[in-house]
Amino acid sequence: MLTGKRILLIIGGGIAAYKALELIRLLRRDGAAVTPVLTKAGAEFVTPLSVAALAGAKVHTDLFDLTGEAEMGHIQLSRVADLLVVAPATADLMAKMAQGRADDLASTLLLATDTPVMVAPAMNVRMWDHPATRRNIAVLQGDGVRFVGPDAGEMACGEYGPGRLAEPDAILAAIRAALAGGPLAGKHILVTSGPTHEPIDPVRYIANRSSGAQGTAIAAALRDLGARVTFVTGPAAVPPPQGVQVVRVETAREMMEAVDAALPADAAVMAAAVADWRVANESSSKIKKVAGAALPSLTFAENPDILKTVARSPDRRPRLVVGFAAETDDVLTHAQAKLLRKGCDWIVANDVSPATGIMGGAENAVTLITAAGAEDWPRLPKDEVARRLAQRIAEALA
Ligand code: C5P
């Protein structure tokens, strides 16, 4: 619940602005007070009247509103909130934020504030993918801005891909998470999860049996302790948690890139089951079955070791790097060797031999290996393993 929380909601221009109306309704139903700010472009899509009616509050629209200045300066406006939320955040508004420009009320408020900021981007997929937007996102993430969405899907412009504004209930969950406080408040934690898919040709791929359940539970538990979580996930069987920044990838190389883009972080928890090898002779067209012809043969190339790269980074190593070791035999010996080889601080080791039912199951029995030694945890639901691990991470980062 957001009872007593004050949200300054900046509504940018874009067709998705209508969803901001629903967001206002959800926020107020959750107990929050909403101070709405409508950009000039935003006012082309939703009217100040509907925004004010739903918010039950005055809408701020113009930097040089003298009555507003007399009642409450624009600087003050941004400081009385617990969180500034920009939804929808256009590419232009994000560019302004990244550059620290202040040429209208919304950008001025965003520059004048020392309150945490969350943005929910919405734009055309090409604009989202453009290197300029990528750069701006990296700058904003570095400044500690939280992101929610965008979702991938069909867009109002008729194209398909990432760029749709996150749904209002997902934005609400992210706002709740951001305001939850807790021992990890102000910390950025990167979590990798799920399997990777390594293509053989456009329709076939090599994968593994990871469901992503443990990584998802860890991301949720870290969020619940107040962390800002970037969740880089391969194609998992379980949906990603709400209230975290989700980055979807398929291959190990894409995961490496996404991890690189998400740094710096205070801690990294690498729970993904990354394929060690990719198909080196990936075919750009579907490999055909030809009667009498030789069977196709695959050759492999080594994938980047993401954990090792992060743990051994000379300048961007998170303070705490946690790796996983899924083994089917000699769990402890292999895991201890892995800790040294990869250069990480902790290894969460588990036995994934089929008889344990752990891979894809609801429970996990892990051994936490640190410099201090090995601790066997009892067999627990994956959510509980995640909560214990998150708690330990909070203690380590305190
Ligand atoms: O070497 P192995 O795959 O057993 O190590 C497991 C740990 O290393 C996990 O934390 C996994 O996320 C990480 N890993 C990685 N990149 C790879 C292979 C594994 O980050 N290419």
Side-chain angles (χ1 to χ4, degrees):
M1 287 292 283
L2 292 170
T3 315
K5 298 291 184 198
R6 293 153 308 173
I7 309 292
L8 185 88
L9 176 66
I10 295 171
I11 304 171
I15 187 67
Y18 76 92
K19 288 192 195 170
L21 299 177
E22 173 69 1
L23 176 62
I24 295 173
R25 208 178 61 77
L26 294 180
L27 285 167
R28 292 196 67 206
R29 201 176 61 186
D30 215 47
V34 180
T35 305
V37 173
L38 198 51
T39 66
K40 201 161 166 239
E44 300 288 332
F45 292 90
V46 289
T47 71
L49 194 59
S50 357
V51 174
L54 283 165
K58 174 181 159 67
V59 188
H60 301 266
T61 50
D62 197 310
L63 184 52
F64 301 105
D65 171 351
L66 290 180
T67 340
E69 281 299 309
E71 285 164 5
M72 181 196 272
H74 60 269
I75 306 280
Q76 187 64 13
L77 188 61
S78 70
R79 303 246 173 106
V80 294
D82 296 295
L83 184 70
L84 264 65
V85 178
V86 189
T90 58
D92 180 58
L93 198 42
M94 283 167 44
K96 279 187 188 174
M97 288 172 73
Q99 289 185 8
R101 290 178 56 189
D103 58 2
D104 62 5
L105 178 59
S107 53
T108 303
L109 291 173
L110 287 159
L111 191 64
T113 193
D114 49 9
T115 303
V117 176
M118 175 179 293
V119 301
M123 67 196 69
N124 168 273
V125 55
R126 299 265 163 82
M127 293 169 87
W128 175 252
D129 284 338
H130 196 282
T133 305
R134 302 278 101 206
R135 281 196 299 276
N136 293 333
I137 292 166
V139 168
L140 294 174
Q141 282 176 334
D143 290 347
V145 170
R146 285 174 181 257
F147 279 75
V148 48
D151 290 345
E154 201 164 326
M155 320 213 19
C157 53
E159 288 184 76
Y160 188 91
R164 280 165 60 109
L165 183 69
E167 290 303 324
D169 57 349
I171 302 176
L172 175 69
I175 292 172
R176 281 182 177 161
L179 291 175
L184 287 172
K187 298 281 192 280
H188 176 215
I189 303 191
L190 167 68
V191 178
T192 69
S193 182
T196 63
H197 284 183
E198 306 297 330
I200 297 170
D201 67 18
V203 297
R204 305 180 179 97
Y205 58 83
I206 293 175
N208 60 65
R209 295 186 194 281
S210 165
S211 64
Q214 187 62 78
T216 301
I218 292 167
L222 292 165
R223 170 205 66 196
D224 290 346
L225 295 186
R228 173 167 75 85
V229 177
T230 302
F231 183 67
V232 178
T233 176
V238 298
Q242 294 218 313
V244 305
Q245 174 64 14
V246 181
V247 185
R248 287 188 169 82
V249 297
E250 288 211 351
T251 66
R253 284 187 293 177
E254 287 168 9
M255 187 172 277
M256 182 72 250
E257 263 177 45
V259 161
D260 196 50
L263 292 175
D266 296 286
V269 182
M270 314 294 258
V274 185
D276 292 314
W277 310 284
R278 66 176 176 277
V279 177
N281 56 341
E282 178 190 343
S283 169
S284 56
S285 54
K286 187 183 169 196
I287 301 170
K288 292 271 179 290
K289 187 165 100 178
V290 182
L295 292 175
S297 71
L298 300 178
T299 55
F300 290 92
E302 202 163 323
N303 267 332
D305 190 319
I306 304 167
L307 173 60
K308 197 162 159 183
T309 309
V310 169
R312 297 201 178 276
S313 163
D315 52 343
R316 302 206 306 156
R317 186 191 197 279
R319 193 136 67 82
L320 181 70
V321 178
V322 184
F324 278 67
E327 306 286 351
T328 53
D329 52 282
D330 262 345
V331 178
L332 203 57
T333 321
H334 282 130
Q336 267 159 339
K338 197 165 288 177
L339 183 84
L340 297 175
R341 197 169 63 240
K342 305 256 187 181
C344 55
D345 302 296
W346 300 352
I347 285 271
V348 180
N350 58 358
D351 185 346
V352 291
S353 39
T356 63
I358 283 173
M359 205 94 171
E363 291 186 333
N364 206 351
V366 309
T367 304
L368 179 66
I369 296 158
T370 69
E375 267 173 50
D376 282 321
W377 290 5
R379 192 176 173 114
L380 295 165
K382 286 183 176 171
D383 286 352
E384 189 50 36
V385 171
R387 272 193 289 275
R388 284 192 182 207
L389 186 66
Q391 194 55 47
R392 291 293 286 270
I393 292 170
E395 286 161 18
L397 293 182

